[in-house]
Amino acid sequence: MGRKSLQSGKATLAAAIVIVPVALPLVGAGGLLRAEEGISASFTISERLENVQRQGFSNNENEGFRSVTRLGFGLLSENQNQALSFNTGTDFVYNFSRSETEFEDPDLNLNYDLQTRNAGLSFDASYVRRDVEDSVFFDDLSNEFIISDDGRREIFSLRSALSLNRQGPVTFDLNHFFSDSRFTGTTDPDLRDSTTNGLTASSSFRLSPVASLNATARWREQDQDGVGANDRTRTSFDVGGTYDISAVTTLSAGISYFNNESTTRTDNSGPGYRFGLSHDRPNGTYDFDISSRETINGNEVDARANRSYDLPRGTASIGFGLAKVEGFSIEPLISAGLNLDINNVSRISLDLSQASTVDNDDNETIRTRLSVSYSRELNEISSMSASFRFADENVLADNDEDTTSLRASLSYRRAVGDDWSLVSGYEYSTNQRNDREDRNSNTLFVSLEKAFSFRP
């Protein structure tokens, strides 16, 4: 990690933390607190017995029979304008086959949110530790999408956001995030510790009831540690506007400039553009977007068309697109969404997305994410649920690094009195990478859970 980059990242982090005390008087001036303060606490406890069978892992081929005690605690203080919350939890695990005890999956989160009529301020700090193979489903801060390896990963992150003059003709938004990612017990040399800083500043100017201008500046810096570290910096500037052609049709357009720096590629910069058209219908919306941007590997053009629907019991959407990256063939993209109450006792949801992006090693990649869930109330005291989560990473220049991850679960829940629930089920996961053996996991479990809240 370069000293200059590290100092820049620390300076940005310090600046973002300073946003909170400096902006409090500005935000608070926009309104008065009119509700009495309220403090509530929550506590969750569960005892889970599970049998875990694993194949393809370099260590601990079979976890065997385990006891997992989950403890969670939360505090919330809120009134009409602001809320402060703290949540923490961890698993205490005893493995009968190895006679070992350990703590797993600890997490902490502190969040503050202040909203007035004309301004807003939020701050979020979190810490999480997970098995690296679960990163695809909990980490949205870095470019590691699917990881096929043993070990664990720790992520500490900070986010802050400031919004001013939201009701005025000129608005201003400032967002910052910081992430520190650390790996332990891994064997993949590509899994490197890293620090990421990002800053986005935007402003909108309302010219008339139907037209507005906007300007946005973005900066993102990632510093990696270890052999083969890839330090990257990306900045962009965008100027554009929106215009309401009619009461149901809106046109948007803009021009951009991108600058990309990397230790593994030649620096690349250049202009870009975006164009969008949105048309409202009585039962939904038509959207069309086309954009061009400069990446570290060259120019990328992305075109998408989407149709959303308002249904009597939910919403649905379907979208199609094409992505063309310089030096590669055209790649089709698809998206879909569904949130539907099938009837009074059952619900289904689906979310499918595909995107062209640059991975952590500056490789052009098509990423696919699909999640499906179904729940049904069987009677007043019992219910069932099922979920399916799928992720695929297609590295365009190297098929050996293509990776697929899948998670599926089925569970049955029954209330047993005094807020206690008995839950049983089955979980399956698989992680596949072209140059490695598949890794599969099967888990049968039964647990007793209780959650309650109170006012201290």
Side-chain angles (χ1 to χ4, degrees):
M1 181 186 301
R3 179 174 298 177
K4 181 178 180 181
S5 297
L6 179 60
Q7 292 175 344
S8 175
K10 289 182 177 178
T12 305
L13 172 60
I17 296 176
V18 170
I19 287 176
V20 175
V22 170
L24 276 172
L26 297 176
V27 179
L32 299 175
L33 304 182
R34 292 184 296 272
E36 294 183 1
E37 292 186 359
I39 300 177
S40 60
S42 62
F43 184 75
T44 59
I45 181 172
S46 68
E47 178 62 34
R48 170 167 160 155
L49 299 177
E50 61 182 26
N51 187 274
V52 184
Q53 302 295 320
R54 308 203 304 171
Q55 295 178 334
F57 293 82
S58 59
N59 298 314
N60 303 327
E61 285 293 326
N62 284 318
E63 289 286 332
F65 192 54
R66 311 193 323 161
S67 167
V68 182
T69 303
R70 178 68 180 179
L71 299 173
F73 175 75
L75 274 175
L76 173 64
S77 175
E78 62 180 341
N79 54 38
Q80 182 174 329
N81 292 83
Q82 57 185 330
L84 176 66
S85 64
F86 171 78
N87 294 278
T88 184
T90 189
D91 291 342
F92 179 74
V93 180
Y94 177 75
N95 190 296
F96 292 92
S97 60
R98 299 196 300 269
S99 298
E100 294 179 356
T101 59
E102 60 181 335
F103 287 97
E104 290 187 355
D105 299 345
D107 57 75
L108 299 98
N109 179 262
L110 176 67
N111 179 270
Y112 176 76
D113 185 69
L114 173 62
Q115 301 292 328
T116 68
R117 181 185 306 175
N118 209 33
L121 172 70
S122 64
F123 176 81
D124 185 272
S126 66
Y127 166 83
V128 63
R129 188 182 75 188
R130 294 287 188 273
D131 291 340
V132 295
E133 64 183 33
D134 294 328
S135 290
V136 61
F137 298 118
F138 82 92
D139 174 28
D140 294 321
L141 290 174
S142 68
N143 274 348
E144 289 99 1
F145 185 58
I146 304 176
I147 301 176
S148 181
D149 197 20
D150 293 325
R152 291 180 176 175
R153 185 179 190 184
E154 294 178 291
I155 294 181
F156 171 72
S157 63
L158 293 172
R159 293 178 181 269
S160 57
L162 173 66
S163 178
L164 297 174
N165 203 35
R166 291 188 295 202
Q167 302 296 321
V170 181
T171 64
F172 176 77
D173 293 278
L174 181 65
N175 295 270
H176 174 268
F177 76 86
F178 166 85
S179 171
D180 185 73
S181 174
R182 302 290 155 180
F183 292 95
T184 56
T186 57
T187 60
D188 189 341
D190 292 335
L191 299 181
R192 311 178 189 97
D193 296 344
S194 64
T195 301
T196 304
N197 267 292
L199 189 66
T200 301
S202 62
S203 185
S204 177
F205 307 86
R206 189 168 67 242
L207 303 178
S208 71
V210 298
S212 64
L213 293 177
N214 49 72
T216 303
R218 295 182 176 89
W219 170 81
R220 180 187 177 98
E221 179 185 70
Q222 177 179 280
D223 294 331
Q224 289 186 344
D225 299 335
V227 179
N230 180 22
D231 297 340
R232 301 188 300 176
T233 302
R234 177 178 173 85
T235 56
S236 66
F237 304 92
D238 180 275
V239 177
T242 62
Y243 179 74
D244 294 336
I245 300 175
S246 67
V248 296
T249 305
T250 300
L251 173 69
S252 63
I255 56 174
S256 308
Y257 183 82
F258 300 90
N259 183 64
N260 301 276
E261 301 175 8
S262 172
T263 55
T264 65
R265 297 283 197 275
T266 302
D267 296 350
N268 186 50
S269 60
Y273 65 85
R274 56 182 175 83
F275 173 84
L277 189 65
S278 177
H279 181 69
D280 293 335
R281 299 294 299 164
N283 65 340
T285 305
Y286 287 99
D287 292 287
F288 173 77
D289 297 279
I290 184 170
S291 63
S292 171
R293 65 187 183 115
E294 285 293 324
T295 72
I296 193 66
N297 297 318
N299 181 261
E300 176 185 328
V301 177
D302 191 303
R304 294 176 181 267
N306 184 78
R307 176 67 161 103
S308 63
Y309 298 89
D310 296 325
L311 306 176
R313 287 180 172 266
T315 60
S317 65
I318 184 71
F320 300 94
L322 297 172
K324 176 65 173 71
V325 181
E326 187 174 337
F328 297 92
S329 59
I330 297 176
E331 295 289 336
L333 304 173
I334 188 172
S335 64
L338 177 66
N339 286 284
L340 182 65
D341 292 327
I342 300 174
N343 50 45
N344 293 333
V345 296
S346 58
R347 180 177 179 82
I348 188 172
S349 65
L350 177 148
D351 183 58
L352 169 65
S353 64
Q354 284 188 305
S356 173
T357 187
V358 178
D359 71 7
N360 212 36
D361 293 316
D362 290 333
N363 298 313
E364 292 296 332
T365 305
I366 301 296
R367 289 177 174 172
T368 302
R369 192 194 299 256
L370 169 66
S371 63
V372 182
S373 64
Y374 172 80
S375 62
R376 179 179 178 85
E377 297 179 11
L378 302 177
N379 52 48
E380 292 182 354
I381 61 172
S382 63
S383 62
M384 63 162 290
S385 62
S387 68
F388 175 87
R389 296 182 294 177
F390 171 84
D392 179 79
E393 191 167 44
N394 177 20
V395 181
L396 300 183
D398 189 351
N399 291 331
D400 286 343
E401 294 187 7
D402 292 351
T403 312
T404 298
S405 181
L406 183 149
R407 303 284 190 275
S409 67
L410 177 66
S411 65
Y412 169 80
R413 176 181 295 270
R414 183 180 180 86
V416 292
D418 269 346
D419 296 326
W420 287 93
S421 297
L422 183 67
V423 185
S424 60
Y426 169 75
E427 298 172 347
Y428 170 79
S429 69
T430 182
N431 195 296
Q432 302 172 356
R433 179 164 164 170
N434 289 355
D435 59 348
R436 296 181 185 176
E437 182 182 357
D438 294 352
R439 301 185 175 197
N440 304 317
S441 175
N442 295 273
T443 303
L444 284 170
F445 70 90
V446 60
S447 68
L448 189 62
E449 304 175 357
K450 180 178 177 66
F452 56 91
S453 60
F454 58 94
R455 291 190 174 274

